[in-house]
Amino acid sequence: MKVTYFPGCTLKNKARDLDEYARKSAEALGITLEEPETWQCCGGVFTTANDEVATKLSSVRLLKAAAEAGQSLVTVCSACHNVVKQTNYAMANDSAFADRVNRYMAEDAPYTGETKVYHYLELLRDVVGFENLAKAVKKPLTGKKIGAYYGCLLLRPGKVMGMDDAENPRIIEDLIRALGGEVVIYARRNECCGGYVSAESPALAKKNSNLIAENAASAGAELLVTACPLCKYNLEKNGSSVPVVYFTELLAEALGLKEDAND
Amino acid sequence: MTNEQLKQEILRISNVNVTKCMKCGKCTASCPAYDEMEYHPHQFVSMVNNGDIQPLLNSDSIYRCLSCFACMERCPRGVEPAKLVEAVRLMAVRKQGANRMKAEDVPCMLDENTPGQLLVSAFRKYSK
Ligand code: SF4
Ligand code: SF4
């Protein structure tokens, strides 16, 4: 299966691991990730204001490129996914907004939200299937106590993101199980780490990040997995006692691909 | 602008129906920025409804919201307070010279691991 793959800006720089391991693992699972020749940063956060057009155009161009290639679009960073998916939802469901965007872009064919957008986790669950994935595992994560850290952007707003039950998700836990690890459930797994507020109020980000890390540690987690570079940064910067890794790194490790990644 | 004009402008930008609120406070109980906010999500809803926009525009509360959408997810009436916070913040930073964050502020924020995601997100929220 061939899909359009959008890495986003941070995966080209500080979060190279998230990208490299996603690519290696997809290849091993028979999925071809095709990165568009040109793309722009998604902007990091979706603006809910319905009079904002310009800040959403990079996502629309990306969605349109996938539609023109006749492919689904796959993202891996939580923030990119949130922005692209919310933009696609607005293009499909808010005709006045879609009309304004299409007039602005002035291209021949209008775009109205046709592209199917998957987060990489959804690709694993819905296209590969966790059962099949479990069969492809070469080095199971046996005995590792792992907590899923969803944060906010992967799941919310639930009616738009549609990935999972936003208040009681299981997709990352199911991935951990498929890879042979032991799941640790803790209360704050879908609370916000502070996100971009660490630029404006580091104390607030620290407080939130510490509450999450301490909650996970006291539930017995030895490792936290995330899909978001900013979650990883905020938790680590604020001294999480539990190490934080990208889900793609765990995936590559279990598939026996880790040694030769990043070379 | 009069209070009524400010209210209509916020309602236009956010597309929120504030009259659906039943004042249960669940949005505020869900808010991870609660301690740092002068006005809380349920107050944004009632103050917008009353045309009381100016105090919101002048409050740092609009820069403390994390856009985590917890208040939207957990509101039993589908009111979406986060969209009001966003609309008030945009009304504030869209004014000429009112950028909360400037390029000069960036160097002292950086460490060796700062992801680009943090900077682009912060600029989108705090500047125009
Ligand atoms: S979106 Fe903002 S106001 Fe709503 S719960 Fe999150 S931090 Fe609080
Ligand atoms: S949760 Fe919804 S109904 Fe309850 S106070 Fe907040 S906005 Fe109003």
Side-chain angles (χ1 to χ4, degrees):
Chain A
M1 181 188 187
K2 278 188 188 168
V3 295
T4 300
Y5 173 66
F6 178 61
C9 65
T10 301
L11 277 75
K12 293 287 180 188
N13 194 324
K14 299 294 178 188
R16 284 208 186 92
D17 283 356
L18 184 52
D19 177 55
E20 295 279 340
Y21 291 126
R23 290 177 193 265
K24 299 246 169 193
S25 303
E27 198 187 328
L29 294 167
I31 292 167
T32 308
L33 303 181
E34 290 187 344
E35 183 177 336
E37 215 165 290
T38 58
W39 51 260
Q40 293 166 301
C41 169
C42 71
V45 277
F46 180 76
T47 306
T48 56
N50 58 18
D51 64 349
E52 284 266 328
V53 170
T55 52
K56 293 160 188 166
L57 293 178
S58 67
S59 295
V60 177
R61 290 196 187 100
L62 173 70
L63 288 156
K64 198 160 186 283
E68 280 160 8
Q71 294 175 344
S72 298
L73 177 65
V74 175
T75 59
V76 61
C77 161
S78 302
C80 296
H81 186 65
N82 191 281
V83 175
V84 172
K85 188 109 187 195
Q86 293 215 64
T87 304
N88 206 32
Y89 186 89
M91 293 300 286
N93 295 291
D94 182 344
S95 55
F97 171 74
D99 188 47
R100 247 181 306 155
V101 170
N102 282 312
R103 283 168 196 271
Y104 191 101
M105 303 220 313
E107 290 195 23
D108 298 340
Y111 177 77
T112 46
E114 294 82 3
T115 299
K116 167 102 181 131
V117 182
Y118 288 102
H119 188 269
Y120 196 105
L121 285 163
E122 294 173 303
L123 195 71
L124 294 175
R125 179 189 63 192
D126 303 337
V127 176
V128 177
F130 284 140
E131 280 172 31
N132 295 327
L133 177 62
K135 287 179 204 147
V137 166
K138 298 208 170 66
K139 292 186 176 173
L141 309 169
T142 314
K144 279 200 184 145
K145 295 189 171 136
I146 307 168
Y149 179 45
Y150 291 89
C152 52
L153 295 174
L154 264 188
L155 301 167
R156 297 195 287 267
K159 81 167 184 223
V160 178
M161 302 309 290
M163 176 186 282
D164 205 340
D165 178 340
E167 292 295 77
N168 192 17
R170 58 175 301 161
I171 186 167
I172 301 182
E173 282 84 1
D174 287 345
L175 171 68
I176 296 167
R177 285 186 199 100
L179 303 181
E182 190 181 319
V183 166
V184 176
I185 302 277
Y186 61 103
R188 290 187 187 268
R189 66 203 165 108
N190 62 344
E191 296 299 337
C192 176
C193 67
Y196 58 78
V197 100
S198 62
E200 153 84 14
S201 171
L204 173 54
K206 184 174 177 58
K207 194 179 115 192
N208 282 354
S209 295
N210 288 349
L211 283 169
I212 292 156
E214 284 159 19
N215 182 218
S218 69
E222 297 162 351
L223 195 63
L224 284 175
V225 271
T226 178
C228 181
L230 190 47
C231 288
K232 186 172 184 331
Y233 173 76
N234 276 336
L235 289 184
E236 288 175 343
K237 182 182 174 175
N238 293 303
S240 172
S241 63
V242 188
V244 187
V245 296
Y246 292 124
F247 75 97
T248 53
E249 182 172 349
L250 274 194
L251 174 65
E253 185 182 334
L255 292 174
L257 305 166
K258 197 168 160 187
E259 291 72 21
D260 54 11
N262 274 337
D263 55 20
Chain B
M1 279 205 263
T2 65
N3 283 355
E4 183 56 27
Q5 285 169 326
L6 286 170
K7 172 180 171 178
Q8 291 311 323
E9 182 66 359
I10 293 297
L11 297 180
R12 181 188 69 79
I13 299 174
S14 65
N15 210 11
V16 166
N17 180 356
V18 285
T19 61
K20 285 198 293 186
C21 174
M22 61 179 184
K23 301 188 190 294
C24 67
K26 203 173 174 193
C27 50
T28 290
S30 299
C31 179
Y34 176 88
D35 289 342
E36 305 266 335
M37 281 178 148
E38 177 186 6
Y39 300 112
H40 301 106
H42 77 283
Q43 289 168 296
F44 274 80
V45 180
S46 60
M47 288 169 77
V48 169
N49 197 16
N50 295 335
D52 227 356
I53 316 291
Q54 210 61 52
L56 298 174
L57 280 168
N58 295 333
S59 170
D60 278 356
S61 300
I62 54 180
Y63 306 110
R64 297 291 185 263
C65 165
L66 314 170
S67 303
C68 74
F69 304 129
C71 54
M72 277 168 61
E73 196 66 43
R74 293 166 197 166
C75 169
R77 299 279 296 152
V79 176
E80 309 187 312
K83 292 188 177 178
L84 293 177
V85 184
E86 179 103 302
V88 180
R89 180 175 48 230
L90 281 170
M91 189 183 264
V93 298
R94 277 174 182 174
K95 285 207 192 93
Q96 199 167 16
N99 283 342
R100 177 79 174 183
M101 206 172 108
K102 301 186 177 67
E104 308 84 274
D105 301 336
V106 170
C108 66
M109 262 177 225
L110 297 177
D111 61 48
E112 56 174 343
N113 298 319
T114 307
Q117 182 193 353
L118 170 58
L119 301 177
V120 294
S121 306
F123 266 108
R124 189 143 285 181
K125 289 290 170 178
Y126 300 135
S127 299
K128 264 293 148 198

